Amino acid sequence: MIYSRITGTGSYLPARVMTNQEFAARLDTSDAWIRSRTGIVQRHIAESSQGSSDLALHASVKALEAAGTKPADVDLIIVATSTPDYVFPSTACLLQAKLGVKGCAAFDVQAVCSGFVYGLATADSFIKAGGHKKALVVGAEVFSRILDWNDRGTCVLFGDGAGAVVLSADSKPGVHASILRADGSYADILSVPGNVCGGAIVGTPFLRMDGQAVFKFAVRVLEESARETLAAAKMALEDLDWLIPHQANVRILEATARKLGLPREKLVVTVDHHGNTSAASVPLALDEFVRSGKIRAGHRVLLQGVGGGFTWGSSLVTL
Ligand code: UT7
């Protein structure tokens, strides 16, 4: 039996740090409101010259180094992003060129904040099917480009960044189970409802959100998805070393842990210093905890995405 296993992680955050105080200086908001309602203290913002493929490149190089893998050995590149460099070609193809390789399959996954988990599950299936051996799975976003910087209800929440993993064929599991879900009837509660037509923007190019509806939806499906994925992997909550839910709001994360009965010390929280980086949030958090030595080889980690679509899903992995 062929399985897939995460053999390296990497991440990248743009140098520019934006604090809550910067919002308070020009909007009707405060550091205290943002901290108490979201847990967010700061986020990173990309330079205007940096696209998602640039952030993805930095994260990928680190993941490949950690895995001891040369770019030429990668036979599948999947980039999860809702903020691609272009309408087309895909950010995955641009990343492939920046890595200096050619020939391997490369495509983007668009599942908004669930994108990394969707990409990981896709790469796992490709590897288990036997046609691919070494996948680079990346979440990369420049959400700062699609925010209405005058909308205090949304602009304070998000940040830019990228995270990557190398997923390699292995005789032992790695990825034990992944379950992906979607319900398009909730498209309206979180969207960027615009497109480009005849050289003009049709609709709005800014993120729109019903925050309370998203909050309730996220807490419900993160709990359901965790239980469903643990059952599919024939594991119990006690078997988990870490839970890495999509880093949206510390209140969503803590409510999920509470509903599951998971001890707070097993919950990974990085939203305080990253903000919500959409598809990048889970691999960014994973890499931070791996590099700090908290998540170690043999640990069992439940990775969870939830976001626009609505989409959600979980992957249970042993590092
Ligand atoms: O990847 C998924 C992406 N999205 C999310 O995860 C977001 C999920 N939702 C949330 O995190 C929360 O709903 C928010 C943080 C967005 C909002 O928190 P809330 O506790 O649900 O606040 P609310 O929407 O009920 O708003 C309470 C008040 C409102 O004022 P009024 O109507 O009571 O006068 C808002 O206008 O807070 C106001 N408000 C703010 N006040 C200061 C909204 N944003 C701000 C702000 N600063 N930045």
Side-chain angles (χ1 to χ4, degrees):
M1 177 78 188
I2 309 169
Y3 298 99
S4 78
R5 195 175 191 91
I6 293 175
T7 50
T9 67
S11 63
Y12 173 77
L13 290 159
R16 157 102 165 93
V17 173
M18 188 172 182
T19 62
N20 293 344
Q21 281 81 2
E22 289 185 57
F23 289 102
R26 54 174 200 86
L27 287 176
D28 183 14
T29 189
S30 63
D31 176 49
W33 191 96
I34 301 169
R35 277 181 198 244
S36 65
R37 297 295 178 108
T38 72
I40 298 167
V41 177
Q42 64 170 55
R43 71 289 289 145
H44 292 249
I45 304 292
E47 297 294 329
S48 57
S49 59
Q50 290 181 304
S52 285
S53 69
D54 299 305
L55 276 52
L57 176 65
H58 288 296
S60 299
V61 166
K62 289 186 191 149
L64 288 163
E65 275 171 13
T69 298
K70 292 194 289 295
D73 295 333
V74 170
D75 55 15
L76 173 66
I77 299 175
I78 299 179
V79 175
T81 186
S82 301
T83 47
D85 290 26
Y86 302 131
V87 173
F88 70 80
S90 69
T91 305
C93 284
L94 300 176
L95 172 63
Q96 186 199 51
K98 286 178 182 180
L99 284 167
V101 293
K102 48 181 77 176
C104 73
F107 59 89
D108 286 2
V109 164
Q110 219 287 32
V112 199
C113 305
S114 309
F116 179 77
V117 172
Y118 265 64
L120 189 71
T122 304
D124 174 54
S125 297
F126 271 59
I127 288 173
K128 281 185 179 144
H132 294 79
K133 290 193 162 46
K134 214 147 273 273
L136 180 61
V137 185
V138 188
E141 302 280 15
V142 283
F143 255 53
S144 58
R145 308 277 158 81
I146 53 167
L147 299 176
D148 176 349
W149 288 92
N150 293 313
D151 176 11
R152 67 177 184 173
T154 55
C155 70
V156 301
L157 302 174
F158 295 91
D160 300 335
V165 302
V166 175
L167 197 68
S168 308
D170 204 294
S171 55
K172 294 190 298 288
V175 178
H176 298 277
S178 298
I179 295 186
L180 306 179
R181 302 273 178 219
D183 183 346
S185 70
Y186 284 87
D188 286 350
I189 64 172
L190 180 56
S191 63
V192 179
N195 60 49
V196 179
C197 180
I201 294 162
V202 178
T204 170
F206 295 125
L207 184 145
R208 296 282 177 257
M209 181 177 73
D210 177 344
Q212 288 197 1
V214 170
F215 194 106
K216 285 180 200 147
F217 197 103
V219 173
R220 175 170 65 80
V221 299
L222 285 172
E223 184 202 0
E224 280 173 14
S225 176
R227 294 196 190 283
E228 198 179 13
T229 309
L230 281 165
K234 299 189 173 47
M235 287 189 204
L237 193 72
E238 297 68 40
D239 296 323
L240 281 186
D241 294 293
W242 299 98
L243 177 68
I244 309 184
H246 166 50
Q247 303 288 309
N249 179 328
V250 77
R251 288 160 54 216
I252 293 177
L253 308 188
E254 286 175 349
T256 301
R258 218 169 27 246
K259 287 178 83 179
L260 285 169
L262 185 89
R264 177 63 177 78
E265 56 274 17
K266 291 187 173 185
L267 177 68
V268 170
V269 175
T270 55
V271 68
D272 55 333
H273 51 290
H274 294 169
N276 179 346
T277 58
S278 190
S281 89
V282 169
L284 259 169
L286 175 64
D287 185 52
E288 182 176 307
F289 272 58
V290 166
R291 282 174 194 265
S292 67
K294 291 180 193 141
I295 295 183
R296 296 190 299 277
H299 278 183
R300 289 181 177 145
V301 186
L302 187 65
L303 308 171
Q304 296 199 283
V306 58
F310 240 69
T311 56
W312 64 99
S314 304
S315 263
L316 180 45
V317 304
T318 295
L319 263 293

